[in-house]
Amino acid sequence: MREDDKEVAALAALREVEAGMTVGLGTGTTAAYFVTHLAARVRSGLAITAVATSRSTESAARAAGIAVAAFEDMASVDLMVDGVDEIDDRLRAIKGAGGAMLREKIVAAASRRMTVIADASKWSTAIGRKAVPVEVLPFAREFVLAALRSLDAGPTLRMADRRPAASDQGNLIVDCAFAALPDPAATAAALSAIPGILGHGLFLTEVDAAYIADGGVVTRYDR
C-alpha cells in the first residue's frame, strides 16, 4: 500500500508540469515514480527539459526518454518535484536519505516552485523523527564529527559496503540523530556554521506544496 501511495502522489504532482517547462527531478524511491510517469507523458508528446539532482536520476531519466540538461548551464528552474524523508504541516522537511541533499538543495533554491510527494508515513506533526543528513568534506571529517557531537547531534558516518558512503561529489555523508528538533531553524543555522559541512537535509523554507497520499487518497498542502 505504501508503494501504491507513493505512485498516487507522484501522479498528482504530474499535473503541475506544463509544456516548455524546465523540471528538476528529485532522487529516491518516490521521485522515481514521478520520473517514470513524466517519461510516459514525454513519449506522448509533452515537450519539457529536465535537470537531475543525482547521477542515478539522470541515468534513469535518460533511459526513459527524458532530455536532461546540464544544471551548471542554468540559472533557474521552473518546477522541482522530489520526495521527502519527513515533512510537517508547516511544510518543513528532512531530506537526504538518498545522499543527494546538497544537489537537491541547490536545485530547490534555483526553482520557482518546489513540490514534494510522499506517502502518509512521511507526515509528522513536527519534524525530528528522522536523522538529518549532512554532506561533509572528507578533509574535515574528524573536525566535523567532533563539532556535531558538541551539538548533541548523535552523528554517524554513513557506510556502504563497509566503506564510507560518498555523495556524487565524492564527499562523506553523516547522519545526525538529534533527540529532538524543537527549533529546526536554529539547528539549520548551527549546522551551516560548521566549516566542512557543505550542506544539510533540513529544507525549512524551500517547499511550496506537498502531495501526501494515504490509502490512495491524495491531500495537497500549500505554504
PDB file of all heavy atoms in Angstrom, residues 12-13 35 38 43 46 55 58 79 81 90 103 110 120-121 128 155 163 165 179 195 199 210 212 215:
ATOM      1  N   ALA A  12      -0.317  12.782  -8.907  1.00  0.00           N
ATOM      2  CA  ALA A  12      -0.984  14.045  -8.587  1.00  0.00           C
ATOM      3  C   ALA A  12      -0.075  15.228  -8.904  1.00  0.00           C
ATOM      4  O   ALA A  12      -0.511  16.237  -9.469  1.00  0.00           O
ATOM      5  CB  ALA A  12      -1.388  14.057  -7.119  1.00  0.00           C
ATOM      6  N   ALA A  13       1.197  15.118  -8.557  1.00  0.00           N
ATOM      7  CA  ALA A  13       2.141  16.208  -8.805  1.00  0.00           C
ATOM      8  C   ALA A  13       2.402  16.401 -10.289  1.00  0.00           C
ATOM      9  O   ALA A  13       2.738  17.508 -10.733  1.00  0.00           O
ATOM     10  CB  ALA A  13       3.446  15.940  -8.080  1.00  0.00           C
ATOM     11  N   VAL A  35       9.451  10.298 -12.154  1.00  0.00           N
ATOM     12  CA  VAL A  35      10.252  10.212 -13.377  1.00  0.00           C
ATOM     13  C   VAL A  35       9.602   9.246 -14.360  1.00  0.00           C
ATOM     14  O   VAL A  35       9.497   9.531 -15.568  1.00  0.00           O
ATOM     15  CB  VAL A  35      11.695   9.788 -13.057  1.00  0.00           C
ATOM     16  CG1 VAL A  35      12.473   9.488 -14.337  1.00  0.00           C
ATOM     17  CG2 VAL A  35      12.409  10.872 -12.259  1.00  0.00           C
ATOM     18  N   LEU A  38       6.401  10.897 -15.746  1.00  0.00           N
ATOM     19  CA  LEU A  38       6.753  12.036 -16.585  1.00  0.00           C
ATOM     20  C   LEU A  38       7.273  11.545 -17.932  1.00  0.00           C
ATOM     21  O   LEU A  38       6.937  12.104 -18.987  1.00  0.00           O
ATOM     22  CB  LEU A  38       7.813  12.890 -15.887  1.00  0.00           C
ATOM     23  CG  LEU A  38       8.332  14.098 -16.689  1.00  0.00           C
ATOM     24  CD1 LEU A  38       7.206  15.081 -16.986  1.00  0.00           C
ATOM     25  CD2 LEU A  38       9.462  14.790 -15.917  1.00  0.00           C
ATOM     26  N   ARG A  43       6.868  10.758 -23.851  1.00  0.00           N
ATOM     27  CA  ARG A  43       6.721   9.876 -25.027  1.00  0.00           C
ATOM     28  C   ARG A  43       5.414  10.138 -25.762  1.00  0.00           C
ATOM     29  O   ARG A  43       5.306   9.864 -26.961  1.00  0.00           O
ATOM     30  CB  ARG A  43       6.810   8.404 -24.597  1.00  0.00           C
ATOM     31  CG  ARG A  43       8.196   7.989 -24.129  1.00  0.00           C
ATOM     32  CD  ARG A  43       8.306   6.477 -24.017  1.00  0.00           C
ATOM     33  NE  ARG A  43       7.426   5.936 -22.997  1.00  0.00           N
ATOM     34  CZ  ARG A  43       7.761   5.783 -21.716  1.00  0.00           C
ATOM     35  NH1 ARG A  43       8.962   6.162 -21.303  1.00  0.00           N
ATOM     36  NH2 ARG A  43       6.911   5.278 -20.838  1.00  0.00           N
ATOM     37  N   LEU A  46       4.689  15.485 -24.719  1.00  0.00           N
ATOM     38  CA  LEU A  46       4.956  16.631 -23.850  1.00  0.00           C
ATOM     39  C   LEU A  46       6.414  17.077 -24.007  1.00  0.00           C
ATOM     40  O   LEU A  46       7.332  16.273 -23.827  1.00  0.00           O
ATOM     41  CB  LEU A  46       4.685  16.270 -22.385  1.00  0.00           C
ATOM     42  CG  LEU A  46       4.988  17.372 -21.363  1.00  0.00           C
ATOM     43  CD1 LEU A  46       4.005  18.535 -21.520  1.00  0.00           C
ATOM     44  CD2 LEU A  46       4.941  16.824 -19.943  1.00  0.00           C
ATOM     45  N   ARG A  55      23.250  11.450 -10.199  1.00  0.00           N
ATOM     46  CA  ARG A  55      23.618  10.662 -11.375  1.00  0.00           C
ATOM     47  C   ARG A  55      22.623   9.536 -11.609  1.00  0.00           C
ATOM     48  O   ARG A  55      22.305   9.205 -12.759  1.00  0.00           O
ATOM     49  CB  ARG A  55      25.024  10.101 -11.181  1.00  0.00           C
ATOM     50  CG  ARG A  55      26.116  11.159 -11.188  1.00  0.00           C
ATOM     51  CD  ARG A  55      27.454  10.564 -10.805  1.00  0.00           C
ATOM     52  NE  ARG A  55      28.489  11.604 -10.709  1.00  0.00           N
ATOM     53  CZ  ARG A  55      29.663  11.418 -10.141  1.00  0.00           C
ATOM     54  NH1 ARG A  55      29.972  10.238  -9.609  1.00  0.00           N
ATOM     55  NH2 ARG A  55      30.545  12.400 -10.090  1.00  0.00           N
ATOM     56  N   GLU A  58      19.564  11.016 -13.248  1.00  0.00           N
ATOM     57  CA  GLU A  58      19.880  11.387 -14.632  1.00  0.00           C
ATOM     58  C   GLU A  58      19.895  10.159 -15.533  1.00  0.00           C
ATOM     59  O   GLU A  58      19.328  10.176 -16.635  1.00  0.00           O
ATOM     60  CB  GLU A  58      21.236  12.087 -14.695  1.00  0.00           C
ATOM     61  CG  GLU A  58      21.638  12.483 -16.105  1.00  0.00           C
ATOM     62  CD  GLU A  58      22.954  13.237 -16.161  1.00  0.00           C
ATOM     63  OE1 GLU A  58      23.528  13.534 -15.093  1.00  0.00           O
ATOM     64  OE2 GLU A  58      23.404  13.539 -17.286  1.00  0.00           O
ATOM     65  N   LEU A  79      10.126  24.215 -12.123  1.00  0.00           N
ATOM     66  CA  LEU A  79       9.463  23.369 -11.136  1.00  0.00           C
ATOM     67  C   LEU A  79      10.393  22.251 -10.721  1.00  0.00           C
ATOM     68  O   LEU A  79      11.017  21.609 -11.568  1.00  0.00           O
ATOM     69  CB  LEU A  79       8.182  22.769 -11.743  1.00  0.00           C
ATOM     70  CG  LEU A  79       7.450  21.703 -10.933  1.00  0.00           C
ATOM     71  CD1 LEU A  79       6.808  22.307  -9.687  1.00  0.00           C
ATOM     72  CD2 LEU A  79       6.401  20.988 -11.788  1.00  0.00           C
ATOM     73  N   VAL A  81      10.309  18.631  -8.478  1.00  0.00           N
ATOM     74  CA  VAL A  81       9.464  17.644  -7.815  1.00  0.00           C
ATOM     75  C   VAL A  81      10.368  16.601  -7.180  1.00  0.00           C
ATOM     76  O   VAL A  81      11.224  16.021  -7.854  1.00  0.00           O
ATOM     77  CB  VAL A  81       8.477  16.979  -8.789  1.00  0.00           C
ATOM     78  CG1 VAL A  81       7.617  15.952  -8.056  1.00  0.00           C
ATOM     79  CG2 VAL A  81       7.588  18.024  -9.456  1.00  0.00           C
ATOM     80  N   ARG A  90       3.808  22.531   8.504  1.00  0.00           N
ATOM     81  CA  ARG A  90       4.362  23.837   8.115  1.00  0.00           C
ATOM     82  C   ARG A  90       5.249  23.697   6.872  1.00  0.00           C
ATOM     83  O   ARG A  90       5.924  24.634   6.486  1.00  0.00           O
ATOM     84  CB  ARG A  90       5.150  24.438   9.287  1.00  0.00           C
ATOM     85  CG  ARG A  90       4.266  24.783  10.478  1.00  0.00           C
ATOM     86  CD  ARG A  90       5.086  25.198  11.690  1.00  0.00           C
ATOM     87  NE  ARG A  90       5.875  26.406  11.441  1.00  0.00           N
ATOM     88  CZ  ARG A  90       6.682  26.953  12.347  1.00  0.00           C
ATOM     89  NH1 ARG A  90       6.791  26.401  13.556  1.00  0.00           N
ATOM     90  NH2 ARG A  90       7.366  28.040  12.065  1.00  0.00           N
ATOM     91  N   ARG A 103      22.791  18.619  -3.782  1.00  0.00           N
ATOM     92  CA  ARG A 103      22.305  18.956  -5.126  1.00  0.00           C
ATOM     93  C   ARG A 103      20.815  19.287  -5.080  1.00  0.00           C
ATOM     94  O   ARG A 103      20.350  20.202  -5.779  1.00  0.00           O
ATOM     95  CB  ARG A 103      22.553  17.799  -6.096  1.00  0.00           C
ATOM     96  CG  ARG A 103      24.021  17.600  -6.443  1.00  0.00           C
ATOM     97  CD  ARG A 103      24.166  16.659  -7.625  1.00  0.00           C
ATOM     98  NE  ARG A 103      25.563  16.413  -7.944  1.00  0.00           N
ATOM     99  CZ  ARG A 103      25.993  15.853  -9.064  1.00  0.00           C
ATOM    100  NH1 ARG A 103      25.116  15.475  -9.981  1.00  0.00           N
ATOM    101  NH2 ARG A 103      27.274  15.661  -9.269  1.00  0.00           N
ATOM    102  N   ALA A 110      17.118  27.162  -6.868  1.00  0.00           N
ATOM    103  CA  ALA A 110      17.031  27.722  -8.212  1.00  0.00           C
ATOM    104  C   ALA A 110      15.622  27.635  -8.792  1.00  0.00           C
ATOM    105  O   ALA A 110      15.344  28.253  -9.830  1.00  0.00           O
ATOM    106  CB  ALA A 110      18.000  26.998  -9.149  1.00  0.00           C
ATOM    107  N   ALA A 120       1.828   8.696   3.428  1.00  0.00           N
ATOM    108  CA  ALA A 120       1.456   9.259   4.720  1.00  0.00           C
ATOM    109  C   ALA A 120       2.442   8.932   5.841  1.00  0.00           C
ATOM    110  O   ALA A 120       2.464   9.628   6.865  1.00  0.00           O
ATOM    111  CB  ALA A 120       0.065   8.780   5.110  1.00  0.00           C
ATOM    112  N   SER A 121       3.282   7.920   5.666  1.00  0.00           N
ATOM    113  CA  SER A 121       4.246   7.584   6.718  1.00  0.00           C
ATOM    114  C   SER A 121       5.279   8.687   6.898  1.00  0.00           C
ATOM    115  O   SER A 121       5.954   8.748   7.936  1.00  0.00           O
ATOM    116  CB  SER A 121       4.956   6.263   6.388  1.00  0.00           C
ATOM    117  OG  SER A 121       5.839   6.409   5.290  1.00  0.00           O
ATOM    118  N   GLY A 128      11.547  15.771  13.065  1.00  0.00           N
ATOM    119  CA  GLY A 128      12.530  15.428  14.086  1.00  0.00           C
ATOM    120  C   GLY A 128      12.667  13.940  14.336  1.00  0.00           C
ATOM    121  O   GLY A 128      13.599  13.506  15.012  1.00  0.00           O
ATOM    122  N   PRO A 155      26.047  12.051  15.685  1.00  0.00           N
ATOM    123  CA  PRO A 155      26.462  11.811  14.300  1.00  0.00           C
ATOM    124  C   PRO A 155      26.966  10.398  14.054  1.00  0.00           C
ATOM    125  O   PRO A 155      27.665   9.815  14.876  1.00  0.00           O
ATOM    126  CB  PRO A 155      27.600  12.823  14.111  1.00  0.00           C
ATOM    127  CG  PRO A 155      28.194  12.961  15.479  1.00  0.00           C
ATOM    128  CD  PRO A 155      27.026  12.874  16.421  1.00  0.00           C
ATOM    129  N   ARG A 163      32.408   0.585   3.585  1.00  0.00           N
ATOM    130  CA  ARG A 163      33.236   1.751   3.329  1.00  0.00           C
ATOM    131  C   ARG A 163      32.373   2.998   3.510  1.00  0.00           C
ATOM    132  O   ARG A 163      31.139   2.940   3.366  1.00  0.00           O
ATOM    133  CB  ARG A 163      33.805   1.717   1.907  1.00  0.00           C
ATOM    134  CG  ARG A 163      34.654   0.501   1.610  1.00  0.00           C
ATOM    135  CD  ARG A 163      35.208   0.542   0.202  1.00  0.00           C
ATOM    136  NE  ARG A 163      36.113   1.689   0.034  1.00  0.00           N
ATOM    137  CZ  ARG A 163      36.718   1.959  -1.116  1.00  0.00           C
ATOM    138  NH1 ARG A 163      36.503   1.196  -2.192  1.00  0.00           N
ATOM    139  NH2 ARG A 163      37.526   2.994  -1.205  1.00  0.00           N
ATOM    140  N   ALA A 165      30.155   5.912   2.786  1.00  0.00           N
ATOM    141  CA  ALA A 165      29.339   6.257   1.613  1.00  0.00           C
ATOM    142  C   ALA A 165      29.773   7.623   1.091  1.00  0.00           C
ATOM    143  O   ALA A 165      30.162   8.508   1.857  1.00  0.00           O
ATOM    144  CB  ALA A 165      27.868   6.279   1.991  1.00  0.00           C
ATOM    145  N   ALA A 179      18.012  14.108  19.279  1.00  0.00           N
ATOM    146  CA  ALA A 179      16.946  13.585  20.147  1.00  0.00           C
ATOM    147  C   ALA A 179      15.623  14.273  19.838  1.00  0.00           C
ATOM    148  O   ALA A 179      14.550  13.667  19.939  1.00  0.00           O
ATOM    149  CB  ALA A 179      17.328  13.790  21.611  1.00  0.00           C
ATOM    150  N   PRO A 195      32.459  24.836   9.615  1.00  0.00           N
ATOM    151  CA  PRO A 195      33.293  24.697   8.418  1.00  0.00           C
ATOM    152  C   PRO A 195      33.522  23.220   8.098  1.00  0.00           C
ATOM    153  O   PRO A 195      33.810  22.425   8.990  1.00  0.00           O
ATOM    154  CB  PRO A 195      34.606  25.383   8.824  1.00  0.00           C
ATOM    155  CG  PRO A 195      34.233  26.301   9.936  1.00  0.00           C
ATOM    156  CD  PRO A 195      33.130  25.588  10.678  1.00  0.00           C
ATOM    157  N   GLY A 199      26.518  21.010   3.176  1.00  0.00           N
ATOM    158  CA  GLY A 199      25.069  21.094   3.029  1.00  0.00           C
ATOM    159  C   GLY A 199      24.401  20.178   4.022  1.00  0.00           C
ATOM    160  O   GLY A 199      25.028  19.266   4.561  1.00  0.00           O
ATOM    161  N   ALA A 210       2.921  20.222  -1.062  1.00  0.00           N
ATOM    162  CA  ALA A 210       3.160  18.802  -0.808  1.00  0.00           C
ATOM    163  C   ALA A 210       1.913  18.008  -1.164  1.00  0.00           C
ATOM    164  O   ALA A 210       0.791  18.419  -0.834  1.00  0.00           O
ATOM    165  CB  ALA A 210       3.517  18.565   0.658  1.00  0.00           C
ATOM    166  N   ILE A 212       0.420  14.475  -0.312  1.00  0.00           N
ATOM    167  CA  ILE A 212       0.577  13.366   0.628  1.00  0.00           C
ATOM    168  C   ILE A 212      -0.550  12.362   0.373  1.00  0.00           C
ATOM    169  O   ILE A 212      -1.737  12.715   0.427  1.00  0.00           O
ATOM    170  CB  ILE A 212       0.510  13.839   2.086  1.00  0.00           C
ATOM    171  CG1 ILE A 212       1.469  15.022   2.325  1.00  0.00           C
ATOM    172  CG2 ILE A 212       0.824  12.686   3.028  1.00  0.00           C
ATOM    173  CD1 ILE A 212       2.923  14.710   2.114  1.00  0.00           C
ATOM    174  N   GLY A 215      -3.743   5.733   1.686  1.00  0.00           N
ATOM    175  CA  GLY A 215      -4.780   4.800   1.241  1.00  0.00           C
ATOM    176  C   GLY A 215      -5.362   5.170  -0.108  1.00  0.00           C
ATOM    177  O   GLY A 215      -6.552   4.940  -0.355  1.00  0.00           O
TER     178      GLY A 215
END
